[in-house]
Amino acid sequence: MPAPALPSLAHIDLSSGIIDPAAEVVERRLSDMPAWFQDQPAAQALLSENPVLYRVYAMAQPDTAGWRLATSVIESGRIGAEYYMTRGHAHVREDAPEVYLTLRGRGMLVMQSRTDETVVQVMQPGSINYIPGGWAHRTVNTGDEPLVFFAVWSIDAGHDYEAYAERGFAKLILAGEDGPRVVDNPSYVKAKRA
Ligand code: S6P
Ligand code: ZN
């Protein structure tokens, strides 16, 4: 039997979302995901500026089993009418759910089942979003300040990005005159399993 892990303590700055101590910080810029946005001329035009779209701060792990804890900080901005967003993924383990607790800002969580059912939930400070196993998820910052949320998921969930890079999500969140709108993705390719 491996030795039991020791208790650990970290701190989240509720405004910046920075976790201290963080084991890992992942930064995603536009150049990491230019093809993810619908408005390709707008994406190409912004590439020279190459803005940071989001960062993920993972808490130093106390253990090799159990839960992964991290904050995500999505910057405020748009590529054409599409808000800055995460790449989006599904967990490889279909029985691995995830919980998001929003700390700052305003956003939308797009969830999509393996059979292309879509649920979009609002994220605002205090929102607890439960993502069941088997549902792909992407977060979108629809506000004018950073969207900061805390996430908890199983350490061995695994992440499938490829399926969603290829076919994207069935719904897009676009800026409209009266705020964010959920619209059908015109380039969406249906799930092979559907
Ligand atoms: C991990 C969890 C989040 C995301 C983060 C970035 O299961 O859902 O920590 O990793 O919000 O999104 P993505 O799609 O680039 O991993
Ligand atoms: Zn996840």
Side-chain angles (χ1 to χ4, degrees):
M1 283 274 285
L6 295 172
S8 62
L9 175 67
H11 178 262
I12 300 176
D13 181 295
L14 298 180
S15 176
S16 67
I18 292 172
I19 293 190
D20 183 25
E24 191 188 9
V25 182
V26 174
E27 183 175 270
R28 299 275 174 233
R29 289 178 176 268
L30 178 58
S31 59
D32 296 313
M33 48 185 288
W36 270 245
F37 293 92
Q38 283 296 301
D39 188 336
Q40 278 301 299
Q44 295 302 321
L46 252 189
L47 264 180
S48 53
E49 201 180 302
N50 201 16
V52 172
L53 304 182
Y54 60 97
R55 293 189 176 93
V56 180
Y57 302 90
M59 182 176 156
Q61 278 307 127
D63 211 345
T64 51
W67 307 104
R68 179 81 75 187
L69 311 174
T71 48
S72 298
V73 181
I74 308 177
E75 297 297 331
S76 173
R78 280 171 22 195
I79 314 277
E82 205 167 6
Y83 300 98
Y84 286 6
M85 61 185 183
T86 58
R87 288 186 297 170
H89 61 267
H91 296 162
V92 175
R93 256 187 53 201
E94 295 201 19
D95 62 343
E98 180 156 7
V99 174
Y100 286 173
L101 167 62
T102 303
L103 306 174
R104 178 184 174 191
R106 199 170 174 88
M108 285 189 174
L109 169 61
V110 181
M111 291 172 279
Q112 183 170 313
S113 74
R114 302 281 177 176
T115 52
D116 285 353
E117 190 185 342
T118 299
V119 175
V120 179
Q121 290 180 344
V122 166
M123 300 174 76
Q124 56 193 9
S127 299
I128 297 175
N129 302 92
Y130 179 80
I131 306 164
W135 285 69
H137 40 286
R138 161 181 286 165
T139 44
V140 180
N141 183 350
T142 58
D144 52 14
E145 62 178 322
L147 172 66
V148 180
F149 62 92
F150 178 62
V152 181
W153 71 97
S154 177
I155 203 167
D156 61 356
H159 291 79
D160 177 7
Y161 288 99
E162 214 169 296
Y164 298 88
E166 276 172 17
R167 59 191 190 95
F169 281 65
K171 300 285 182 190
L172 302 177
I173 313 296
L174 302 182
E177 279 180 14
D178 302 323
R181 294 180 304 133
V182 181
V183 301
D184 288 336
N185 179 354
S187 6
Y188 183 67
V189 180
K190 273 194 169 306
K192 293 183 185 101
R193 279 197 256 179

